[in-house]
Amino acid sequence: MDSKLALSKHDSVGAPTSEPLVKVEGLTVHFEGGRAGFWGRKRLFVHAVENVSFYIFPGETLGLVGESGSGKSTIGRAILRRVPAAAGRIFYKSREITHIGTANLRPLRRNMQLVFQDPYASLNPRMRIFDIVAEPLIVHGLARNNKEAQGRVCALLQRVGLPPDAGHRYPHAFSGGQRQRIGIARALALNPEFIVADEPVSALDVSIRAQIINLMQDLQAELGLTYLFIAHDLAVVRHISRRIAIMYAGKIVELANRDSIYENPLHPYTKALLSAVPVPDPKVQRSRVRIAYAGETPNPLNPPPGCRFQSRCPRASDACRTQDPPMKERDTGHFVACWQ
């Protein structure tokens, strides 16, 4: 991958020469997919993520967009070392963490936290909210017991907009939006620098999504947080992200700042995604042309050579079917993997 893809000064937030907080180089993640052949001797692997590279600068939000099964969540979990990498390297503050041991990983995770997609499944229904938020403090030795953690937990619950008595109640007493606020408070308990937000608003009502997004932006401004924001909703991603990476079938096909992605998409898949975003003005919506490509997504157990989008792209050439297109800078800070 071209080194300019991530270190371009136009991609940075704050000082142009700032070092990235998170760096991913050639990340590849495979999962066991069963066996095939005579007596099942051939092992099959799901190619969830293939040769992905990007950087995230301190205080920045990188939006990661793609359809279901494209590998977005797998990338986030691989960075947090929740799933192993088959190849590639992951760096945090210039330190490689791809294969560090458990002893070194435990303190590292204090700085890297996860906000889950489902606020109903991510909270233990048998624990009080106070205990849920206090647990990471006690586990990591920042508080010896609930009494020592009380001040920190109460401040966190107040910061995310929950009532004073929230700590004494159980998850079933809260709405989906309130539960997600609890999940955010738990993620903030250890004062992390980097948060992977794995579709944090996709399970919420539309009216609540804006509140959670605004809360995350306010916390970022107050605490200097860095986000990898994973989502399907392109309107939400545009609102919160500084740069956006578009994923398809385990690979990043386009990466640029948000205005470049929305105003001048270069990859055919990005154009199709943006054409499907509804516009609130009925007249404008009726005049828009929806781009739809026929064909099936590639089999993750046996992906084809060349471009992963070739089976659906109307402009596919012989090069697309035989050679994997590299990421190239077409415009200032705008990278795309396409032969056309």
Side-chain angles (χ1 to χ4, degrees):
M1 180 187 231
D2 193 331
S3 60
K4 294 188 298 180
L5 174 60
L7 291 179
S8 170
K9 64 181 180 181
H10 306 281
D11 293 341
S12 64
V13 175
T17 58
S18 61
E19 290 295 324
L21 181 71
V22 176
K23 180 172 66 172
V24 175
E25 294 182 350
L27 177 64
T28 298
V29 180
H30 295 163
F31 296 113
E32 184 74 40
R35 293 179 177 271
F38 191 69
W39 299 113
R41 294 176 179 174
K42 181 180 179 181
R43 298 177 65 188
L44 301 178
F45 292 94
V46 176
H47 296 249
V49 175
E50 204 76 31
N51 194 26
V52 165
S53 301
F54 59 86
Y55 291 63
I56 309 177
F57 289 90
E60 180 186 22
T61 298
L62 175 67
L64 194 56
V65 180
E67 59 193 52
S68 296
S70 61
K72 307 183 301 298
S73 296
T74 301
I75 287 179
R77 292 175 181 272
I79 293 174
L80 298 177
R81 289 293 313 279
R82 291 177 176 266
V83 296
R89 298 192 297 173
I90 302 167
F91 296 86
Y92 182 76
K93 288 186 172 180
S94 301
R95 175 192 179 190
E96 185 173 358
I97 63 171
T98 318
H99 303 293
I100 63 173
T102 304
N104 293 320
L105 183 60
R106 184 182 179 87
L108 178 68
R109 281 182 169 158
R110 289 176 53 179
N111 294 320
M112 305 171 70
Q113 291 292 307
L114 174 65
V115 175
F116 294 90
Q117 174 181 356
D118 188 351
Y120 292 89
S122 62
L123 303 179
N124 189 332
R126 299 186 179 184
M127 293 178 67
R128 295 182 307 154
I129 302 308
F130 181 92
D131 298 323
I132 289 174
V133 179
E135 184 178 33
L137 293 170
I138 297 173
V139 168
H140 284 269
L142 301 182
R144 289 180 295 180
N145 49 47
N146 283 353
K147 186 176 181 180
E148 287 192 3
Q150 184 173 358
R152 172 67 175 161
V153 172
C154 292
L156 284 168
L157 294 177
Q158 183 179 7
R159 172 168 273 174
V160 299
L162 291 171
D165 64 337
H168 302 289
R169 296 151 67 184
Y170 288 85
H172 72 267
F174 296 91
S175 66
Q178 289 175 319
R179 293 188 189 201
Q180 197 60 292
R181 290 175 186 268
I182 296 167
I184 293 172
R186 177 176 57 185
L188 294 176
L190 300 175
N191 290 320
E193 298 174 299
F194 175 64
I195 292 180
V196 175
D198 189 3
E199 302 194 42
V201 298
S202 63
L204 306 179
D205 294 339
V206 174
S207 60
I208 305 299
R209 293 182 183 182
Q211 298 177 20
I212 299 300
I213 293 300
N214 290 337
L215 172 63
M216 294 184 68
Q217 288 183 309
D218 291 342
L219 292 170
Q220 184 177 41
E222 293 173 15
L223 306 174
L225 298 172
T226 303
Y227 292 138
L228 174 62
F229 191 89
I230 301 167
H232 286 95
D233 192 328
L234 289 163
V236 169
V237 172
R238 183 175 190 176
H239 182 71
I240 195 173
S241 303
R242 175 64 62 90
R243 291 184 301 136
I244 297 174
I246 307 295
M247 284 201 71
Y248 181 78
K251 291 196 172 187
I252 292 179
V253 297
E254 190 163 359
L255 191 155
N257 67 66
R258 63 185 176 190
D259 292 333
S260 296
I261 288 286
Y262 282 83
E263 296 172 7
N264 183 34
L266 299 179
H267 197 278
Y269 177 65
T270 308
K271 295 177 181 179
L273 278 182
L274 293 176
S275 73
V277 178
V279 176
D281 188 331
K283 292 183 179 180
V284 175
Q285 179 65 23
R286 284 194 294 268
S287 65
R288 298 176 72 223
V289 178
R290 173 71 186 275
I291 301 175
Y293 296 126
E296 298 292 332
T297 57
N299 182 358
L301 290 172
N302 186 27
C307 178
R308 297 284 175 92
F309 195 61
Q310 59 174 279
S311 61
R312 301 172 65 186
C313 182
R315 299 186 300 171
S317 63
D318 291 340
C320 300
R321 298 183 181 92
T322 57
Q323 303 176 52
D324 189 18
M327 292 288 282
K328 290 187 176 181
E329 188 173 21
R330 298 287 183 85
D331 200 354
T332 303
H334 195 147
F335 299 84
V336 63
C338 183
W339 288 116
Q340 303 301 321

